Amino acid sequence: MPLKRTPKKTSESTSAKPRSATKAPASRKTRRPASPIHDPTSDDALLALDPAYAAGPDMPTSVAERELTSMARLAHAQQARLSKIGVTSDKVELLAHFARRLGALEKAWQRARGAVQLTSAQRKLRDEAEALDAKLVAGGRWGCRDDAAAQAELSRIADGSGLSDTIQDLRDLVEFWFDHEGALGVTDITTKDLERARALADALEEAAANEASDASAAHALELRNRCFWAADELAKEIREGGRYAFRDQPKIAARFVSRHRTTLNRRSRLKAKKAKVEAAPEQAAPI
C-alpha cells in the first residue's frame, strides 16, 4: 500500500490571510453640497421674471409695503382656515419676506437716484417744483377737507419722493385742481401756479431722463419694480383665498382687500357717476 505524502507544515497559521490581501480602509463617501434654497425675492429670481414685471407700480411703494405687511399678519392670524384651501404658512411667510425686501429695494433705489448729479439750474427748478408741489397739496387738504375721495387722491399723489415722482405729482395736481376748481377760491392757489406746475414738469423731464439712464439707478429701479409685481401677484392669491375661505364671515372676508385700490376704484365710480349725471340734462335738452 503506497504511503501518503504528508503536507509540509509552515510556521504561519493556515487561517491567516496573505498580507497582500489585507483589507484597505473603506474610503469615505463625499457628501454633495446641499442645493441652495430658492428665494423668490433674490436678485437672480426677480431678474428671471418676465419683462412685464419691470413696469412701474400702480401705487406708492410705501403704501404697498404697509399693505403687504398687514395682509401677512392677517393671513397668519387666520392660518388654520387658510391652510385648508391651500394657502400655506410658507406662502404667508413669503409674503412678509416680500414686504421687507420691497422696502429694502425702495431704499436702495432712492440712494442710487440720489447719486445722479444735477446741474445748478436743474437743482433750482427741482427746489421750486417741490415747493409748488407742497403748496398744491396743502391747498387741497384745506379746500377739499370734506371730500373723502379728494383726500384719498391727494394721499396717493403726495406719497413718493424723488424727481420723477415730483414731476408726476405736478401733473396729477394740475388734473386734481381741474376737477376741483370750485375749491380754489378758499385757497391761495392761483391759475398761474397751475400753469407754472405744467411748465416745471416739462422743464425737469431732461433731468429725470438722466436719472433713468444712470446704470445703477436703472438697475435698482428695475429690481424694485419686479419685486413689487411679484409680491402683488402673491398677495392677490392670498386675498382671493381669504375672501373664499371666509365667505361665510363677510366682516373677515372684507379685510382681504387692498384698501388703496378699493379707495381709488370707489373714487373712479363716483367720478363716472358724477359725469353721467352732469351729461344727462344736456342729452335731455330739446334740439
Side-chain angles (χ1 to χ4, degrees):
M1 183 176 181
L3 297 174
K4 293 182 178 179
R5 185 181 293 275
T6 303
K8 188 176 180 181
K9 293 181 178 181
T10 62
S11 59
E12 294 181 359
S13 170
T14 56
S15 63
K17 294 182 179 179
R19 290 179 183 177
S20 60
T22 302
K23 188 175 181 181
S27 59
R28 294 182 179 178
K29 294 182 178 180
T30 56
R31 293 183 178 179
R32 295 181 179 178
S35 300
I37 298 175
H38 176 64
D39 179 7
T41 72
S42 68
D43 289 3
D44 290 342
L46 294 174
L47 292 173
L49 295 171
D50 187 271
Y53 284 80
D58 64 347
M59 71 172 72
T61 306
S62 58
V63 174
E65 183 185 356
R66 289 196 298 269
E67 286 199 350
L68 292 171
T69 301
S70 177
M71 182 54 53
R73 289 173 180 167
L74 173 61
H76 178 73
Q78 305 295 343
Q79 188 61 66
R81 186 175 288 202
L82 291 176
S83 294
K84 295 178 180 179
I85 63 164
V87 179
T88 64
S89 59
D90 288 344
K91 288 184 178 180
V92 175
E93 178 56 36
L94 178 58
L95 186 66
H97 187 31
F98 261 122
R100 295 190 293 270
R101 178 69 168 143
L102 181 60
L105 289 174
E106 172 67 18
K107 290 178 181 178
W109 178 52
Q110 295 296 345
R111 287 194 299 271
R113 75 190 304 186
V116 179
Q117 298 298 317
L118 299 178
T119 66
S120 59
Q122 288 172 334
R123 285 196 297 271
K124 186 177 180 180
L125 289 175
R126 179 198 60 191
D127 294 343
E128 183 186 354
E130 290 176 350
L132 184 54
D133 184 350
K135 178 180 180 179
L136 296 179
V137 170
R141 292 297 190 195
W142 167 250
C144 302
R145 59 190 179 279
D146 297 325
D147 187 335
Q151 295 300 313
E153 177 68 1
L154 287 170
S155 296
R156 181 193 69 78
I157 294 172
D159 203 335
S161 60
L163 185 54
S164 295
D165 285 326
T166 300
I167 292 172
Q168 189 60 51
D169 285 356
L170 292 177
R171 294 200 167 110
D172 288 345
L173 286 166
V174 169
E175 183 67 21
F176 173 87
W177 281 111
F178 177 80
D179 292 338
H180 300 85
E181 188 175 3
L184 281 172
V186 297
T187 73
D188 59 0
I189 298 171
T190 66
T191 55
K192 288 184 177 180
D193 287 329
L194 300 179
E195 292 171 0
R196 184 58 179 164
R198 291 193 187 95
L200 285 170
D202 292 339
L204 286 168
E205 280 291 355
E206 182 179 352
N210 291 339
E211 179 183 88
S213 64
D214 181 83
S216 296
H219 179 70
L221 177 61
E222 181 177 8
L223 283 174
R224 194 284 306 268
N225 291 354
R226 287 173 173 270
C227 185
F228 172 89
W229 289 113
D232 187 69
E233 191 172 61
L234 177 59
K236 182 180 179 182
E237 178 186 351
I238 293 176
R239 286 177 181 131
E240 290 178 351
R243 291 195 294 272
Y244 170 71
F246 292 95
R247 62 192 184 279
D248 59 338
Q249 298 183 43
K251 289 185 178 180
I252 297 180
R255 298 174 63 190
F256 284 87
V257 297
S258 166
R259 292 184 178 180
H260 182 82
R261 290 195 178 110
T262 299
T263 300
L264 292 184
N265 290 339
R266 186 183 299 116
R267 179 181 181 276
S268 297
R269 289 194 297 270
L270 290 173
K271 190 174 181 180
K273 184 177 181 180
K274 181 180 178 182
K276 187 176 180 180
V277 170
E278 291 175 348
E282 296 180 2
Q283 293 174 356
I287 299 175

